[in-house]
């Protein structure tokens, strides 16, 4: 019985010795798998970088649109011009003559800004005042005058509310486009990670998604590069 047991044990050892080279991953396989993971991570980073740039562009355009709606086109133009002058001032610290001219230009732009904002405030105040007055008249008017007053009141309300409608439309468009950039990036990089992890496993290397936070404009999202966790 003992002899039979030793024979079986010896056979198992021999079988194990024969089987091990086929089960264990070779150094070449491991090296190939790691190179493949590194390549995929580089490609994922490139896709993330492009998506982040796109998201930032969408946000910049959106904020410009919002400012233009809220402040009016002239105010926005003045702000842009002011920023250009400020940039020139920063670059011409050692040119006193140029700085004097730029400061004069900046002062005039500030005056124009105050004038334009005052016009906008006055216009909005007049519209609000007219709406209040018309609302009072509608309540006290006779039936024949009510329709005329209501028609005028609706026009003024529409004029005041147009900004809100435009703001909502711009916000909806920006949100939709930003979410598409984020979703596309998430889906593509997750697929790339999954495929590379599966191929690495075939070569005896265990890998997994190593999630990291990425900023897309005003949102933060978990994206999934790969990290090695072991080898067979």
């Amino acid at each position: 019985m003992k002899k039979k047991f030793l024979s079986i044990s010896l056979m198992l050892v021999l079988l194990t010795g024969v089987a091990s080279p086929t089960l264990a991953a070779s150094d070449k396989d491991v090296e190939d798998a790691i190179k493949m993971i590194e390549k995929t991570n580089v490609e994922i980073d490139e896709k993330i970088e492009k998506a982040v740039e796109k998201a930032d562009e969408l946000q910049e355009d959106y904020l410009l649109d919002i400012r233009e709606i809220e402040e009016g086109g002239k105010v926005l133009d003045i702000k842009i011009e002011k920023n250009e002058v400020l940039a020139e001032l920063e670059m011409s610290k050692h040119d006193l003559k140029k700085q004097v001219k730029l400061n004069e230009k900046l002062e005039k732009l500030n005056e124009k800004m105050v004038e334009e904002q005052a016009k906008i405030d006055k216009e909005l105040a007049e519209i609000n005042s007219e709406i209040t007055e018309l609302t009072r008249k509608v309540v006290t008017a006779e039936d024949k005058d009510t329709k005329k007053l209501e028609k005028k009141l609706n026009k003024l309300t529409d004029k005041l509310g147009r900004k809100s409608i435009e703001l909502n439309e711009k916000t909806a468009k920006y949100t939709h486009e930003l979410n598409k950039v984020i979703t596309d990036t998430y889906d593509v990089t997750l697929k790339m990670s999954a495929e590379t992890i599966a191929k690495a496993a075939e070569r005896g290397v265990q890998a997994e998604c190593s999630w990291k936070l990425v900023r897309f404009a005003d949102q933060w999202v978990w994206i999934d590069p790969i990290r090695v966790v072991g080898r067979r």
Side-chain angles (χ1 to χ4, degrees):
M1 182 70 181
K2 189 175 181 182
K3 187 176 180 182
K4 186 177 181 182
F5 177 79
L6 287 171
S7 299
I8 292 170
S9 299
L10 182 59
M11 189 180 295
L12 286 171
V13 170
L14 290 171
L15 284 172
T16 304
V18 172
S20 293
T22 59
L23 292 172
S26 69
D27 290 341
K28 180 70 167 59
D29 285 340
V30 172
E31 186 181 345
D32 288 346
I34 290 172
K35 282 181 180 178
M36 183 170 53
I37 289 169
E38 288 172 352
K39 182 175 179 290
T40 300
N41 280 338
V42 168
E43 290 171 354
I44 287 173
D45 284 341
E46 287 172 354
K47 287 188 179 296
I48 290 171
E49 189 178 343
K50 286 179 183 176
V52 168
E53 285 176 7
K54 176 65 176 173
D56 286 343
E57 285 173 13
L58 285 172
Q59 186 184 40
E60 188 178 342
D61 291 344
Y62 167 68
L63 292 175
L64 281 172
D65 287 341
I66 295 303
R67 261 184 275 169
E68 189 169 2
I69 292 167
E70 288 181 339
E71 299 173 346
K74 287 184 180 178
V75 173
L76 184 63
D77 290 341
I78 294 168
K79 280 193 172 184
I80 291 169
E81 195 173 351
K82 269 185 69 177
N83 288 335
E84 290 172 354
V85 173
L86 288 168
E88 281 189 71
L89 271 170
E90 186 65 27
M91 294 171 66
S92 58
K93 289 179 179 178
H94 304 295
D95 190 338
L96 293 177
K97 286 185 179 180
K98 191 173 182 180
Q99 284 216 326
V100 170
K101 288 183 180 179
L102 288 170
N103 278 315
E104 288 173 356
K105 189 176 182 180
L106 195 61
E107 191 175 341
K108 287 179 181 178
L109 286 170
N110 284 330
E111 288 172 3
K112 281 175 70 178
M113 175 79 77
V114 171
E115 287 174 10
E116 288 300 325
Q117 286 179 331
K119 285 179 186 177
I120 292 167
D121 291 341
K122 185 182 177 184
E123 184 185 359
L124 291 174
E126 286 174 354
I127 292 171
N128 274 315
S129 179
E130 283 187 69
I131 287 172
T132 302
E133 181 63 21
L134 280 171
T135 304
R136 185 185 63 77
K137 286 181 179 179
V138 167
V139 174
T140 58
E142 295 180 6
D143 289 344
K144 60 180 180 179
D145 298 322
T146 301
K147 287 184 178 179
K148 290 181 181 178
L149 289 170
E150 283 181 346
K151 191 175 181 180
K152 191 173 181 182
L153 179 61
N154 288 336
K155 282 184 178 179
L156 286 169
T157 306
D158 286 345
K159 188 175 181 181
L160 193 63
R162 200 170 297 128
K163 284 188 177 183
S164 296
I165 293 168
E166 288 178 26
L167 286 169
N168 288 335
E169 287 175 351
K170 293 290 183 184
T171 301
K173 184 174 182 289
Y174 163 69
T175 303
H176 172 75
E177 290 178 351
L178 180 60
N179 284 339
K180 188 176 187 308
V181 170
I182 293 170
T183 303
D184 289 350
T185 307
Y186 178 89
D187 290 345
V188 169
T189 55
L190 184 61
K191 185 181 178 184
M192 289 169 68
S193 293
E195 288 176 352
T196 301
I197 288 169
K199 289 176 182 176
E202 292 173 2
R203 290 165 173 78
V205 174
Q206 292 177 316
E208 65 181 15
C209 290
S210 177
W211 300 90
K212 69 174 182 178
L213 269 176
V214 178
R215 181 191 61 79
F216 293 89
D218 54 357
Q219 294 189 37
W220 288 87
V221 181
W222 289 100
I223 299 292
D224 48 353
I226 311 162
R227 71 183 181 93
V228 176
V229 293
R231 58 177 287 185
R232 191 168 65 228

